[in-house]
Amino acid sequence: MKLYLLDRSHTASAISVRKNSYANFLKIWHYHPELELVVVLKSKGTRFIGDSIKKFQPKDVVLIGKNLPHMWLNDPKYFQEDKNLRAEAVAIHFKEDFLGSTFLQLPEIKPIVALFKKAEQGIQFRNLPGDLLQTIVKLNDETDFNKTHQFIGILHQLALHDDFNLLASSGYVASLRLEESDLSNKVIAFIFNNFNKDIDLNTVADIVKMNPSAFSRSFKRVHRKTFSKYVNEIRIGYACKLLIENELNVAAIAYESGFNNLSNFNRQFKMIKNMSPSAYLRKHSKYTKESI
């Protein structure tokens, strides 16, 4: 899964607002210097933000920081030709200084500056007011002036909203700031593309032209965890998605997530999630029923 830089420099407006409607979202692991605010309108699947793997569904709202790799991957049924399904989302792209560099220095903009800082890890907002969601969705219908004016208000409301999750780990974000971030991105892209297969440390080290020992030390320094723990966390994150979907049994999920035996899967799951896979499934099922 190659990491792509998407060039949006041709956009003339301060902010770019698009309503995307496809049979499925583009399966591209990418990044760009603009921040991106996304509201999913239709479809379900798996959202990759940095080293975060989570399910997405309609009404999900996420703010992605600049240069943070991401991808929305629809469920397999959205790639079947005989399915009459659509993947729709509103995507807003903008630079931090879309109103000029002095904009961010204004005292009243401090909450928005703090929002941009949190967005470096990616933010998933929960329980946003319905009128705010509608304002975001209908933003493209406004004139350029009203669009910009309303967008400042949207950012301010998001900055004050205190029900949210940070997505990518702080260690992952730190790695993006390093001079060798291009090399790190190659490794992360390889892991995301192969986490459910056997991943050999020698093979991964060879990607960045390092000997395994040096690579292992460097990876731990950058990500604040060992290479094997990082891979296992990605695998367990994917396993959580499969458990929530409740279409496979635990043994099948273990192998689908890249574990060669069930006992190791259960051990790693409990170590990372502080509960067994069955307890995780019961907890999620209870949460789902209470939310209906």
Side-chain angles (χ1 to χ4, degrees), residues 96-97 100-107 109-110 112-113 116:
E96 284 188 350
D97 58 349
S101 58
T102 57
F103 168 70
L104 298 176
Q105 299 173 15
L106 299 173
I109 303 300
K110 283 185 177 180
I112 295 178
V113 174
F116 292 168

Side-chain angles (χ1 to χ4, degrees), residues 14-15 17 37 92 94 98-99 103 112 115 131-159:
I15 60 174
V17 185
L37 178 64
I92 304 173
F94 62 99
F98 69 98
L99 288 180
F103 168 70
I112 295 178
L115 177 72
D131 56 346
L132 176 56
L133 277 176
Q134 285 302 309
T135 300
I136 298 172
V137 171
K138 295 180 179 179
L139 195 61
N140 201 39
D141 299 332
E142 300 290 339
T143 64
D144 286 345
F145 178 83
N146 287 339
K147 189 183 299 181
T148 303
H149 179 263
Q150 289 189 19
F151 188 58
I152 297 173
I154 290 170
L155 290 175
H156 187 255
Q157 290 185 69
L158 292 177

Side-chain angles (χ1 to χ4, degrees), residues 44-47 53-57 73-78 237-249 253 256-257 280-281 284-285 288:
K44 297 180 179 180
T46 306
R47 181 186 65 234
I53 302 177
K54 302 287 185 181
K55 283 179 62 65
F56 73 82
Q57 59 188 355
L73 178 61
N74 285 117
D75 288 337
K77 61 184 178 181
Y78 288 88
Y238 184 69
C240 288
K241 167 196 176 294
L242 297 180
L243 285 167
I244 292 170
E245 290 176 349
N246 202 21
E247 295 179 358
L248 299 172
N249 60 42
I253 288 173
E256 187 70 20
S257 302
Y280 180 89
L281 181 57
H284 177 80
S285 299
T288 301

Side-chain angles (χ1 to χ4, degrees), residues 12 35 54 99 104 143 178 188 236 287:
L35 288 87
K54 302 287 185 181
L99 288 180
L104 298 176
T143 64
L178 300 178
I188 300 305
I236 295 301
Y287 174 80

Side-chain angles (χ1 to χ4, degrees), residues 82-96:
D82 61 341
K83 291 290 184 180
N84 188 24
L85 298 172
R86 301 297 295 175
E88 294 184 358
V90 171
I92 304 173
H93 296 88
F94 62 99
K95 294 283 187 67
E96 284 188 350

Side-chain angles (χ1 to χ4, degrees), residues 39-86:
V39 179
V40 177
L41 302 177
K42 293 182 180 180
S43 80
K44 297 180 179 180
T46 306
R47 181 186 65 234
F48 298 80
I49 307 287
D51 58 351
S52 168
I53 302 177
K54 302 287 185 181
K55 283 179 62 65
F56 73 82
Q57 59 188 355
K59 295 187 178 181
D60 275 9
V61 182
V62 174
L63 179 62
I64 305 167
K66 60 183 181 181
N67 296 324
L68 180 59
H70 55 280
M71 177 177 71
W72 270 255
L73 178 61
N74 285 117
D75 288 337
K77 61 184 178 181
Y78 288 88
F79 294 88
Q80 298 174 11
E81 293 182 2
D82 61 341
K83 291 290 184 180
N84 188 24
L85 298 172
R86 301 297 295 175

Side-chain angles (χ1 to χ4, degrees), residues 187-210:
V187 171
I188 300 305
F190 180 85
I191 292 173
F192 272 107
N193 199 38
N194 296 278
F195 68 87
N196 57 350
K197 307 172 186 174
D198 287 333
I199 297 182
D200 180 74
L201 179 63
N202 293 334
T203 300
V204 180
D206 189 58
I207 292 174
V208 289
K209 308 302 179 185
M210 297 175 67

Side-chain angles (χ1 to χ4, degrees), residues 211-240:
N211 69 63
S213 296
F215 168 76
S216 183
R217 290 193 299 270
S218 178
F219 191 94
K220 186 175 182 179
R221 174 179 59 82
V222 171
H223 296 278
R224 302 177 188 176
K225 63 188 69 175
T226 65
F227 175 76
S228 60
K229 183 178 181 181
Y230 186 96
V231 173
N232 282 333
E233 287 181 353
I234 297 298
R235 288 171 171 167
I236 295 301
Y238 184 69
C240 288

